[in-house]
Amino acid sequence: MAGEAPAEDPARAAPGPGLPVAAVARTATRRVDPARNAPGPAPHRRAAEPGPADVTRAAAEFIALQHAEERLGDPSRRLAAVRAEIADTGTYRHTTRELVFGARVAWRNANRCIGRLYWHSLAVRDRRDVQDAGEVAEASADHLREATREGRIRSLITVFAPDTPERPGPRIWNEQLVRYAGYARPDGGVTGDPRNAGLTGAARRLGWPGGPGTPFDVLPLVIEDSRAEPRWFALPEDAVLEVELTHPEHPWWQELGLRWHAVPAISNMCLEIGGVRYPAAPFNGWYMGTEIGARNLGDTDRYDLLPLIADRLGLDTSTDRSLWKDRALVELNRSVLHSFDGAGVTVTDHHTESRRFLTHMGREEGKGRQVGADWSWIVPPISGSATPVFHRTFENVERTPAYVHHPDALDRARGLAPG
């Protein structure tokens, strides 16, 4: 796809050796303006709330879709009940069956996701009764445990309380349930993941004492509800499975202290089903290796490990014509697949997933459904032309139900939302 209960000691986040200090300085030097990442002064941009007429129209489209696809017969009776409920309250409550169908179809409609072949197998945890930030944190940790299954990753979504005219639902600031801290340094660089520097600063201002200061300290969850300012909640140790990265041929690789978490549970996207918004609905599939090796660890504005890997491999980095970046990138991605396989943790590779995506397209088109896709996201970040999706064109058509990035959620993930 492409993931707190009682607070615990943050120092437990990253057992084992971290990147050497020199490597950290070299691999994470994106400059961060602390003022830009402060949650206070930035304007709060909130997605426009749908009015009753918008909700009624969206509900009618969704219910008609569900009844047609699941062969439930004439939707008139259900539509009449929904219209009456919207007239009374401004919104309506999905049945459990509607919620499950909507969450799965939202995955089917995710244009940036290459792993949609198994959309119909998404397991849905209905926690719409949960509003309190502490309870959201506890249920989110349970989500990770249930999704992880000792490495046999399961596609899962947990749906918390929706937005209503009376009060907003809870919101998880973190982009994913498991993210690594990014500590801004006096020299302008970052120790850890620069992408999370803003959220790390916000968590510190909310009282999080920080972890031991390694490049892989697990961030706490930052969660807000309608009754209080955002609060932080440390993830329990047993909720976070991590994989230490080794290499099939280079024993020195383990000395780098690289690791990554097993479950990519996206947590700041809003699930929109038939006019109802669920702002906290963390969901996960499993990793494609390139998400970790080519992007999280390889991007220059993330861990930027290619220079370090190339140096240890003895490659000529004086000229791009040596293709040192390409060679280092391949070895880094080999390390990810080798390590996850060795640890018994579900992971897929970009060649396999590209073929599966075309299988998904064929199945959907066979049922008369056009598959929307964003080519720039579907084509893998390495060896694109060696995969079959490179040689196809796609229509980037947006459909609902959907998982949506709202501007205010993006602000929160950067530590910019007021609170």
Side-chain angles (χ1 to χ4, degrees):
M1 272 183 155
E4 255 111 354
E8 296 190 2
D9 179 6
R12 68 114 208 116
L19 247 62
V21 173
V24 173
R26 179 175 183 179
T27 61
T29 57
R30 183 175 68 85
R31 295 193 174 273
V32 176
D33 178 2
R36 191 180 70 84
N37 291 282
H44 187 196
R45 299 178 297 155
R46 185 179 177 84
E49 297 292 341
D54 299 318
V55 176
T56 300
R57 181 169 52 253
E61 292 174 357
F62 167 69
I63 291 168
L65 175 69
Q66 186 207 11
H67 277 66
E69 289 199 14
E70 297 195 330
R71 299 179 181 178
L72 299 179
D74 186 355
S76 299
R77 185 174 179 180
R78 175 58 178 155
L79 283 171
V82 166
R83 290 191 181 103
E85 190 175 353
I86 294 172
D88 287 341
T89 68
T91 187
Y92 68 105
R93 182 176 175 86
H94 290 123
T95 66
T96 299
R97 184 166 185 170
E98 288 168 353
L99 183 71
V100 172
F101 175 79
R104 289 174 175 172
V105 173
W107 183 8
R108 188 178 80 194
N109 289 338
N111 286 8
R112 292 182 171 185
C113 180
I114 195 175
R116 287 178 265 169
L117 177 60
Y118 304 112
W119 64 270
H120 51 81
S121 66
L122 178 67
V124 180
R125 298 173 73 228
D126 185 352
R127 298 307 309 274
R128 287 177 288 172
D129 58 311
V130 174
Q131 289 265 6
D132 176 74
E135 293 179 5
V136 170
E138 185 173 358
S140 295
D142 287 339
H143 175 111
L144 287 172
R145 295 185 186 99
E146 191 171 326
T148 302
R149 298 193 305 174
E150 298 182 340
R152 296 176 293 109
I153 310 301
R154 178 189 192 188
S155 298
L156 183 67
I157 183 170
T158 299
V159 183
F160 295 111
D163 285 341
T164 69
E166 286 75 30
R167 64 178 177 182
R171 279 155 169 77
I172 302 171
W173 286 33
N174 311 55
E175 280 187 318
Q176 295 188 21
L177 293 183
V178 182
R179 275 302 206 195
Y180 294 118
Y183 302 106
R185 300 195 304 266
D187 66 359
V190 174
T191 297
D193 193 341
R195 185 179 183 90
N196 303 320
L199 184 60
T200 302
R204 297 295 296 272
R205 287 187 288 276
L206 291 171
W208 181 52
T214 77
F216 299 100
D217 290 359
V218 175
L219 274 171
L221 294 179
V222 177
I223 303 172
E224 66 174 292
D225 56 35
S226 61
R227 293 173 290 184
E229 68 175 9
R231 290 178 281 163
W232 65 272
F233 303 87
L235 280 166
E237 184 174 357
D238 70 334
V240 182
L241 176 63
E242 295 178 283
V243 177
E244 296 185 6
L245 301 189
T246 60
H247 192 278
E249 290 147 16
H250 301 298
W252 51 262
W253 201 278
Q254 193 166 2
E255 300 170 7
L256 300 177
L258 304 178
R259 63 197 317 110
W260 206 258
H261 57 92
V263 179
I266 298 171
S267 52
N268 73 330
M269 295 186 76
C270 180
L271 171 60
E272 297 187 354
I273 303 174
V276 178
R277 291 178 171 176
Y278 300 96
F283 63 93
N284 70 274
W286 48 81
Y287 270 118
M288 186 165 71
T290 52
E291 295 178 272
I292 302 170
R295 301 301 311 278
N296 298 333
L297 296 177
D299 279 355
T300 56
D301 60 350
R302 299 291 298 285
Y303 280 84
D304 192 22
L305 286 175
L306 298 189
L308 173 66
I309 299 299
D311 181 64
R312 294 299 299 264
L313 290 171
L315 303 179
D316 177 13
T317 59
S318 66
T319 172
D320 287 343
R321 294 179 71 85
S322 69
L323 301 185
W324 66 268
K325 295 177 184 177
D326 309 72
R327 295 170 66 187
L329 192 60
V330 167
E331 296 308 317
L332 187 52
N333 281 272
R334 288 186 66 205
S335 167
V336 171
L337 295 175
H338 168 77
S339 303
F340 272 64
D341 287 346
V345 175
T346 305
V347 71
T348 187
D349 65 87
H350 50 293
H351 297 287
T352 298
E353 214 55 45
S354 294
R355 292 192 297 271
R356 286 175 177 170
F357 183 71
L358 294 187
T359 298
H360 167 68
M361 288 191 67
R363 288 183 181 178
E364 290 299 301
E365 290 168 354
K367 295 179 180 180
R369 295 194 291 255
Q370 182 184 13
V371 177
D374 184 335
W375 190 94
S376 65
W377 280 73
I378 296 300
V379 174
I382 64 171
S383 306
S385 63
T387 65
V389 292
F390 178 89
H391 305 280
R392 295 285 299 265
T393 58
F394 308 104
E395 292 293 328
N396 192 12
V397 180
E398 301 290 341
R399 293 181 173 84
T400 58
Y403 298 103
V404 179
H405 268 127
H406 288 162
D408 53 310
L410 295 173
D411 284 347
R412 287 183 177 89
R414 300 182 181 107
L416 292 172

